[in-house]
Amino acid sequence: MNKLPGGHETILIVDDQETVWDFLIEALQNLGYSVLLAENGEDAVSIYRENPHEIDLVLLDMVMPKLGGHSTFYQLKEIDPNVKVLLSSGFVSATSVNDLLEKGAAGFLPKPHRLPVLA
């Protein structure tokens, strides 16, 4: 089996599904990353604001309670225009987030996550 790429960056996971967190946190930590968790968009914005320049990538679920992916993305962009955001969803297609990709989102990752693709 090929070794998966890893790193030492800090990744903020924004997702409201516990099964997703469990998988992602364990998988990413095993690859060497530091992982922070936000259960919704409001928490993500607060965590990002409180940790300036410490979060290298935000893995953002598009469908969440309180503050959805689109609103969360734009609020993160207001805090840091250079924020790196990887969009993720099992419910929306890449075409429905084209506006965010055009505004600088790093890409779109469909769910369910596959570790080699995620890495």
Side-chain angles (χ1 to χ4, degrees):
M1 186 171 131
N2 294 337
K3 185 174 182 333
L4 294 173
H8 301 288
E9 292 85 0
T10 298
I11 300 174
L12 173 60
I13 296 170
V14 188
D15 203 299
D16 62 332
Q17 292 179 296
E18 194 169 346
T19 53
V20 173
W21 316 325
D22 291 346
F23 166 75
L24 288 175
I25 291 169
E26 182 176 356
L28 291 170
Q29 286 177 339
N30 287 340
L31 293 173
Y33 295 101
S34 297
V35 182
L36 299 171
L37 173 66
E39 297 182 29
N40 58 59
E42 288 178 357
D43 290 350
V45 171
S46 296
I47 290 168
Y48 198 88
R49 188 177 284 124
E50 291 162 13
N51 296 279
H53 314 296
E54 291 178 29
I55 295 170
D56 300 293
L57 177 71
V58 178
L59 180 58
L60 178 61
D61 186 26
M62 294 308 298
V63 180
M64 293 178 298
K66 292 191 181 179
L67 191 64
H70 275 81
S71 299
T72 302
F73 177 84
Y74 286 116
Q75 288 190 30
L76 293 172
K77 279 295 219 189
E78 283 177 21
I79 296 167
D80 178 3
N82 298 313
V83 63
K84 287 188 176 67
V85 179
L86 186 57
L87 310 171
S88 179
S89 181
F91 300 105
V92 300
S93 66
T95 53
S96 68
V97 294
N98 272 345
D99 58 323
L100 302 185
L101 294 168
E102 289 170 6
K103 297 281 190 220
F108 177 77
L109 194 63
K111 289 181 182 178
H113 297 117
R114 288 184 210 55
L115 191 52
V117 176
L118 179 62

